[in-house]
C-alpha cells in the first residue's frame, strides 16, 4: 500500500514537467486576400526561424504577392518587387542582399504537405544550397505511390550523393498526406502550416500565366506575429547622468 502511494505521488510530481516541457515555437499569421494561414516555425532551424521573424518584425512581407503558384506542387511568396507589380509582370527576382546557411534536418523535417521552406538560387550558382533571405514556399504536392517513391530515391541518391534516404515514416507520410519528396535534403524546411491548409489548397489551384503567376493577385495583406518567444531582448538603457545646475547669480 505504501509503495502504491509512493508511486502515485511520484506520478503527480512528474505531471507538471510534461506541461513545462512543451516546446515554445514562434508563430506568424499571414492574412491574405484568400484567407488566413497560420505558420509555426521549427526550433531545429534556428537561423531560418530567427531570420523569418526578423523580417516579420520589419513588416517586409506586408502587401507582397504569392507570385509563383504551381498546382499540385507549391505556392511561393516573398519577392519584394511584387508589392507594386503591374498585371502580367514577371516576378521572382526580388531578393535581399544576403543568404542564410542551409539547415537540412532530414528525416525529422521533410517536404510533406503544409511544410514551409526557403527558396534559393540553383545549384550551379549556389553549390552550398544557401537559402534566399526573403522568399519562401508552402508545400502542397500530392500523394505518391511506391513506383514514384522508388524513382524519387534514385533521384535523391544522385542529387545528394546518397545522403538522403526516405525512411519508413517519410514513405508512409508521402503515400497518405503527400508532398514533394524530390526536394528533401536540398531546400531548408523551417516551418509548417498549423491552420489554413484549405487556403493553401485554394491558392495552389488557381489559374496562372506562363510564368506561374496567378491571373488573380493573391496578396499577403499583412503578417501578424502571434508568438515570438525568441525575440532579442532590448538592451537596458543607461540612465542619464543628472545635470548639474549652476548657482544663480
Amino acid at each position: 500500500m505504501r509503495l502504491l502511494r509512493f508511486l502515485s505521488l511520484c506520478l503527480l510530481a512528474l505531471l507538471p514537467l510534461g506541461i513545462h516541457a512543451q516546446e515554445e515555437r514562434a508563430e506568424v499569421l499571414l492574412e491574405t486576400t484568400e484567407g488566413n494561414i497560420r505558420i509555426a516555425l521549427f526550433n531545429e532551424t534556428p537561423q531560418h526561424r530567427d531570420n523569418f521573424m526578423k523580417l516579420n518584425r520589419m513588416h517586409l512581407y506586408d502587401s507582397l504577392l504569392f507570385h509563383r503558384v504551381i498546382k499540385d506542387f507549391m505556392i511561393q511568396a516573398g519577392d519584394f518587387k511584387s508589392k507594386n507589380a503591374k498585371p502580367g509582370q514577371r516576378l521572382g527576382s526580388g531578393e535581399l542582399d544576403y543568404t542564410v546557411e542551409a539547415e537540412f534536418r532530414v528525416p525529422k523535417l521533410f517536404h510533406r504537405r503544409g511544410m514551409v521552406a526557403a527558396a534559393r538560387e540553383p545549384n550551379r550558382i549556389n553549390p552550398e544550397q544557401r537559402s534566399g533571405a526573403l522568399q519562401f514556399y508552402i508545400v502542397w504536392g500530392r500523394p505518391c505511390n511506391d513506383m514514384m517513391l522508388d524513382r524519387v530515391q534514385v533521384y535523391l541518391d544522385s542529387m545528394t550523393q546518397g545522403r538522403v534516404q526516405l525512411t519508413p515514416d517519410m514513405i508512409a507520410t508521402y503515400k497518405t498526406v503527400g508532398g514533394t519528396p524530390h526536394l528533401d535534403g536540398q531546400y531548408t524546411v523551417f516551418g509548417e502550416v498549423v491552420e489554413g491548409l484549405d487556403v493553401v489548397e485554394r491558392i495552389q489551384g488557381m489559374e496562372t500565366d506562363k510564368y506561374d503567376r496567378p491571373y488573380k493577385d493573391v496578396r499577403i495583406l499583412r503578417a501578424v506575429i502571434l508568438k515570438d518567444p525568441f525575440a532579442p531582448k532590448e538592451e537596458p538603457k543607461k540612465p542619464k547622468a543628472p545635470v548639474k545646475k549652476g548657482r544663480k547669480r
Side-chain angles (χ1 to χ4, degrees):
M1 192 71 179
R2 289 182 178 177
L3 178 60
L4 286 174
R5 185 178 297 176
F6 174 75
L7 291 174
S8 299
L9 290 172
C10 288
L11 288 171
L12 287 171
L14 287 172
L15 283 175
L17 295 178
I19 297 172
H20 294 300
Q22 287 181 355
E23 187 179 41
E24 280 194 298
R25 296 201 292 176
E27 291 189 10
V28 174
L29 184 70
L30 302 180
E31 297 181 353
T32 83
T33 50
E34 292 296 317
N36 294 345
I37 303 171
R38 183 175 177 178
I39 294 172
L41 306 185
F42 295 120
N43 296 330
E44 291 85 352
T45 53
Q47 293 184 69
H48 285 74
R49 176 199 66 201
D50 294 348
N51 177 69
F52 190 71
M53 295 305 292
K54 177 186 72 174
L55 300 179
N56 277 288
R57 291 186 208 106
M58 298 167 67
H59 303 284
L60 292 191
Y61 289 108
D62 293 2
S63 298
L64 300 190
L65 298 177
F66 278 97
H67 65 274
R68 185 171 179 238
V69 169
I70 302 177
K71 184 176 174 60
D72 294 328
F73 184 37
M74 59 90 216
I75 64 174
Q76 184 170 330
D79 181 345
F80 65 79
K81 294 180 181 179
S82 70
K83 188 171 187 177
N84 300 304
K86 297 178 181 179
Q89 178 181 335
R90 187 174 184 178
L91 297 169
S93 62
E95 253 298 355
L96 300 182
D97 60 356
Y98 69 93
T99 57
V100 182
E101 183 181 354
E103 294 179 294
F104 304 140
R105 300 293 184 260
V106 181
K108 186 169 185 179
L109 306 180
F110 57 96
H111 280 77
R112 64 168 171 78
R113 180 171 291 176
M115 288 297 211
V116 181
R120 64 172 177 81
E121 294 287 358
N123 291 353
R124 67 178 182 275
I125 58 175
N126 179 26
E128 295 181 352
Q129 300 178 329
R130 296 178 66 91
S131 301
L134 189 60
Q135 293 195 36
F136 68 93
Y137 60 92
I138 301 176
V139 176
W140 186 253
R142 56 181 177 176
C144 303
N145 58 34
D146 287 324
M147 185 179 294
M148 294 167 65
L149 291 171
D150 287 343
R151 291 175 180 172
V152 166
Q153 186 60 70
V154 172
Y155 175 79
L156 290 175
D157 288 343
S158 171
M159 296 301 294
T160 69
Q161 292 75 50
R163 177 172 49 83
V164 175
Q165 296 294 315
L166 299 177
T167 66
D169 286 342
M170 293 169 70
I171 290 171
T173 300
Y174 282 133
K175 282 183 175 181
T176 54
V177 177
T180 55
H182 64 286
L183 300 180
D184 284 336
Q186 301 160 82
Y187 292 78
T188 297
V189 173
F190 66 91
E192 64 179 334
V193 173
V194 293
E195 288 180 16
L197 204 55
D198 58 320
V199 178
V200 178
E201 180 178 19
R202 188 158 55 248
I203 296 172
Q204 66 88 33
M206 288 183 161
E207 291 188 14
T208 60
D209 62 19
K210 62 181 179 180
Y211 301 121
D212 300 318
R213 177 180 170 181
Y215 287 115
K216 176 187 176 183
D217 282 348
V218 182
R219 194 174 299 278
I220 300 172
L221 300 172
R222 63 172 184 163
V224 181
I225 294 176
L226 301 179
K227 297 180 182 179
D228 199 2
F230 305 100
K233 295 179 180 178
E234 294 184 6
E235 294 184 6
K237 295 180 180 179
K238 295 181 180 180
K240 293 182 179 180
V243 179
K244 293 181 179 180
K245 295 181 180 181
R247 292 181 180 178
K248 292 181 181 180
R249 295 182 179 179

